[in-house]
C-alpha cells in the first residue's frame, strides 16, 4: 500500500508531495516509510492513497490494519507480563522489529537498525547484568558477583576454556517441560537474590526491570523464536553456567560468585 503526503499537520497544502510506503494503519495515523528510509507517523488527513494493495500479513482489528506484532495488546499479554511505559525499548527490539522484517525491505530503516544488531543487544544485556552485579555486591561485602553473557561455541560439548585450561562440564537440558523463555525467567531470579537473603528492603521494581530487560533482550536475539536452555554443570565450581540455544546460534549466561 502506498500514498503521498498532500498536506502538513496544520492543513497547509504540500507543493511537492512525498511518496510513502504504508507500513500500517492505526486508529488515526499511518505508519509510513519515506524515500530516505525513515519510518514516521502521519495523520490520515495528510495522506492520499495512491496504491490500495495491502500486504497479506496485515491483520484487521478495530479499524486498524497492522502486522500482528504491532498490536500492543498482544504484546501486553505475552507470558503474562505486566508491561508499562518503560517497556518501549523491549517492544522496539522484539515486536516492532519482528513485524518490520515481514516487509522484506532492501535495507533496515535508519532508526531501527539497532533492533537487528545482535552485537548491540549483547552489549545491552551485558550492561544490565553489570548493574545487577553492582546491586548484589552492595550486600555481599566479602563476595563478588560477576554476571556475564556472550556468544558460545557449542562444538566442544565436553568442556569450555577458562584461563587457557579446559573446564569439563555436564550439559543438562532444562527446558523440557516448559519453554526456554520461562526457564530463563526463573533462572534470572538469581539477580537480586543477595537482597532477599539479607532481608534488606530494596526497590523491587528496578530489579524487575533489569531481569525482564535481560530476558526480553535475549529472546529478541533469536527473533523471538522458541529457544532451549541447558545447564552446564561443572563439578569443580559451586555455580553453573547456562547455555541458551536456537538451532546453531548459541550463547552463554554465567553467574559467577567468589570471595574477594
Amino acid at each position: 500500500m502506498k500514498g503521498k503526503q498532500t498536506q502538513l499537520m496544520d492543513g497547509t497544502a504540500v507543493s511537492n508531495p512525498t511518496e510513502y510506503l504504508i507500513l500500517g494503519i492505526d486508529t488515526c495515523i499511518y505508519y509510513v516509510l519515506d524515500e530516505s528510509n525513515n519510518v514516521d507517523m502521519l495523520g490520515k488527513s495528510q495522506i492520499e492513497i495512491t496504491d490500495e494493495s495491502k500486504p497479506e500479513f496485515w491483520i484487521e482489528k478495530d479499524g486498524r490494519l497492522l502486522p500482528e506484532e504491532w498490536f500492543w495488546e498482544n504484546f501486553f499479554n505475552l507470558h503474562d507480563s505486566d508491561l508499562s511505559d518503560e517497556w518501549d525499548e523491549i517492544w522496539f527490539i522484539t515486536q516492532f522489529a519482528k513485524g518490520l522484517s515481514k516487509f522484506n525491505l532492501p535495507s533496515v530503516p535508519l532508526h531501527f537498525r539497532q533492533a537487528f544488531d545482535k552485537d548491540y543487544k549483547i552489549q545491552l544485556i551485558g550492561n544490565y547484568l553489570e548493574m545487577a552485579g553492582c546491586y548484589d555486591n552492595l550486600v555481599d561485602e566479602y563476595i563478588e558477583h560477576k554476571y556475564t553473557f556472550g556468544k558460545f561455541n557449542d562444538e566442544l560439548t565436553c568442556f569450555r576454556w577458562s584461563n587457557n585450561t579446559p573446564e569439563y562440564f555436564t550439559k543438562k537440558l532444562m527446558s523440557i517441560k516448559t519453554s526456554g523463555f520461562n526457564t530463563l525467567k526463573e533462572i534470572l531470579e538469581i539477580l537480586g537474590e543477595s537482597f532477599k537473603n539479607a532481608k534488606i528492603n530494596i526497590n523491587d521494581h528496578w530489579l524487575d526491570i533489569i531481569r525482564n530487560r535481560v530476558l526480553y533482550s535475549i529472546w529478541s536475539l533469536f527473533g523471538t523464536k522458541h529457544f532451549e536452555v541447558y545447564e552446564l554443570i561443572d563439578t569443580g565450581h559451586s555455580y553453573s553456567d547456562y547455555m541458551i540455544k536456537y538451532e546453531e546460534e548459541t550463547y552463554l549466561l554465567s553467574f559467577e560468585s567468589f570471595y574477594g
Side-chain angles (χ1 to χ4, degrees), residues 11-173:
T12 304
V14 176
S15 57
N16 188 18
T18 301
E19 187 164 74
Y20 294 95
L21 174 67
I22 309 295
L23 301 175
I25 304 173
D26 214 320
T27 309
C28 301
I29 62 168
Y30 290 114
Y31 292 98
V32 299
L33 180 70
D34 67 19
E35 296 170 345
S36 299
N37 203 25
N38 285 302
V39 174
D40 201 352
M41 294 181 292
L42 294 174
K44 288 184 175 180
S45 61
Q46 297 178 257
I47 295 288
E48 177 186 321
I49 301 301
T50 58
D51 180 353
E52 295 189 359
S53 57
K54 300 177 178 62
E56 293 182 358
F57 55 81
W58 271 4
I59 304 296
E60 185 171 6
K61 186 191 300 181
D62 300 328
R64 296 178 290 172
L65 283 165
L66 299 168
E68 183 178 6
E69 295 82 5
W70 292 6
F71 287 96
W72 274 85
E73 58 269 26
N74 290 353
F75 187 50
F76 287 147
N77 294 327
L78 280 175
H79 306 288
D80 299 319
S81 295
D82 180 18
L83 306 179
S84 51
D85 290 343
E86 69 267 8
W87 286 85
D88 287 353
E89 177 185 326
I90 302 301
W91 180 76
F92 164 71
I93 64 173
T94 56
Q95 298 305 96
F96 195 88
K98 190 175 180 182
L100 189 63
S101 66
K102 290 182 175 180
F103 289 92
N104 294 318
L105 301 173
S107 62
V108 179
L110 297 174
H111 297 304
F112 294 91
R113 288 179 180 170
Q114 286 183 327
F116 298 87
D117 186 339
K118 293 184 183 295
D119 290 334
Y120 163 75
K121 293 178 185 179
I122 292 171
Q123 182 62 52
L124 192 69
I125 294 165
N127 292 344
Y128 285 122
L129 289 175
E130 185 176 350
M131 290 172 59
C134 291
Y135 264 72
D136 283 336
N137 290 334
L138 287 173
V139 174
D140 287 332
E141 185 177 352
Y142 302 105
I143 300 177
E144 183 176 349
H145 298 277
K146 186 177 180 181
Y147 309 138
T148 58
F149 180 83
K151 295 179 180 178
F152 183 65
N153 186 349
D154 188 36
E155 293 180 0
L156 303 175
T157 57
C158 296
F159 63 88
R160 63 173 179 264
W161 288 95
S162 177
N163 298 323
N164 296 319
T165 58
E167 292 185 351
Y168 292 87
F169 59 80
T170 302
K171 186 168 66 174
K172 175 185 176 184
L173 179 62

Side-chain angles (χ1 to χ4, degrees), residues 30 63 95-97 107 127 157 188 194 215 217 222 225 228 241 256:
Y30 290 114
Q95 298 305 96
F96 195 88
S107 62
N127 292 344
T157 57
L188 290 174
S194 298
L215 176 66
S217 295
F222 304 110
K225 297 180 177 69
E228 296 177 333
D241 288 341
E256 185 175 0

